[in-house]
Amino acid sequence: METNVTDKVVVITGGSRGIGRATALAAAERGFRVVVGYASNKTAADEVVAGIGASNGKAIAVKCDVAEESDIINLFQQADTFGTLAALVNNGGIVGQSGVRVDEMSAERIQRVMAVNVTGSILCAREAVKRMSTRHGGKGGVIVNLSSVAAKLGAPNTYVDYAASKGAIDSFTIGLGYEVAAEGIRVAAIRPGLIDTEIHASGGEPDRHHRLAHMVPMKRVGTADEIANAIVWLMSDDASYVTSAILDVSGGR
Ligand code: NAP
């Protein structure tokens, strides 16, 4: 793969593991300088940075819990010192405990899911638009949001709050895309299906994706690389007429 590092920077929230990690490596291969955001796992983030460096790419790790506005401000200030912001991947996301019905959910759980998945993504987009929009003197760019097929399926008896947070991401993608379409910024979302990452373990059900694989029309789970490939395509000029669009990458699920 061609390695041609320019000053184009991509900020990836939750770039330390799973889909974010795969996207960081794929973006670096395509010449982006990568800002690897992480919530708490510095070791994993440092490994991603080292892996990119070993392939002659450029990356830095920055701690950023997207539920903290001050962390987000700092993340983008660090990105400013690294080059010209050209892309944001709003990837960092969480699920609550799997198998909890709405009539059993605590306010704290729901607020945390919304703070990370929704408010965090909108605030990161705010910082990106301030830098990329031609309205503000920027050179344009791309924002890719991580939604989920849960936005369509609703995730009943699993995590309806999470599904609702991803429904919000779909609406946000459409609206922001229209808002900044004439300012050089494209906005799109990916709806992954069942992907082989640690998010299922964080919901208390490490094997969930394998258990449900038979319900996927392709009869298998997806890989983080399969999502990353779609994300870096959306970031590329090959997707130059794609905005306010939502792409299912789900094996048909
Ligand atoms: P994962 O393996 O659990 O990794 C989560 C990543 O997000 C980690 O880098 C983690 O950082 C980071 N993160 C967690 N809480 C955060 C916070 N408060 N602020 C910033 N970053 C935070 O998850 P994944 O499966 O790769 O999921 C990535 C995205 O894809 C999420 O938005 C998820 O909803 C979406 N998605 C995943 C699937 C799937 O089946 N895997 C399906 C549909 C959608 P640390 O390493 O520091 O903990």
Side-chain angles (χ1 to χ4, degrees):
M1 186 64 67
E2 171 197 4
T3 301
N4 175 26
V5 175
T6 66
D7 78 334
K8 283 189 310 178
V9 168
V10 57
V11 167
I12 304 174
T13 62
S16 44
R17 293 184 290 117
I19 291 167
R21 173 184 180 277
T23 304
L25 298 174
E29 276 185 2
R30 286 157 180 79
F32 282 89
R33 292 172 175 242
V34 185
V35 177
V36 178
Y38 66 96
S40 59
N41 197 333
K42 182 176 189 309
T43 304
D46 286 343
E47 280 173 13
V48 175
V49 168
I52 290 171
S55 306
N56 296 320
K58 301 265 187 225
I60 53 172
V62 180
K63 183 183 181 321
C64 176
D65 175 346
V66 297
E68 299 292 335
E69 184 178 15
S70 56
D71 276 13
I72 292 173
I73 304 272
N74 178 58
L75 178 72
F76 282 86
Q77 285 174 344
Q78 298 295 319
D80 290 340
T81 68
F82 201 40
T84 304
L85 187 70
L88 162 67
V89 182
N90 264 326
N91 168 79
I94 56 167
V95 294
Q97 174 69 36
S98 178
V100 174
R101 288 169 44 101
V102 170
D103 51 14
E104 300 163 340
M105 277 179 196
S106 68
E108 291 73 21
R109 167 201 166 115
I110 298 165
Q111 282 160 356
R112 179 71 186 167
V113 167
M114 296 298 167
V116 173
N117 295 2
V118 183
T119 309
S121 295
I122 296 174
L123 289 176
C124 285
R126 179 190 74 189
E127 293 307 305
V129 169
K130 282 193 216 167
R131 287 161 173 81
M132 300 192 302
S133 168
T134 55
R135 181 188 175 105
H136 300 298
K139 296 179 177 166
V142 184
I143 298 172
V144 180
N145 298 318
L146 268 293
S147 175
S148 168
V149 293
K152 295 195 294 184
L153 299 174
N157 305 303
T158 310
Y159 25 62
V160 168
D161 53 345
Y162 170 80
S165 77
K166 295 304 186 177
I169 288 298
D170 286 0
S171 300
F172 175 61
T173 299
I174 295 165
L176 180 65
Y178 292 152
E179 199 164 285
V180 297
E183 299 170 18
I185 303 177
R186 296 185 295 103
V187 186
I190 302 276
R191 285 198 201 105
L194 293 166
I195 309 305
D196 192 8
T197 72
E198 294 167 349
I199 201 169
H200 311 287
S202 70
E205 207 187 343
D207 211 32
R208 175 171 183 271
H209 49 313
H210 295 298
R211 177 172 62 77
L212 298 176
H214 70 280
M215 296 171 69
V216 179
M218 280 192 184
K219 304 293 178 201
R220 67 171 178 88
V221 301
T223 67
D225 286 339
E226 288 177 306
I227 304 302
N229 287 340
I231 293 170
V232 294
W233 173 74
L234 285 168
M235 284 163 53
S236 78
D237 287 343
D238 288 345
S240 54
Y241 205 48
V242 179
T243 200
S244 287
I246 304 170
L247 177 63
D248 289 6
V249 185
S250 61
R253 179 171 161 83

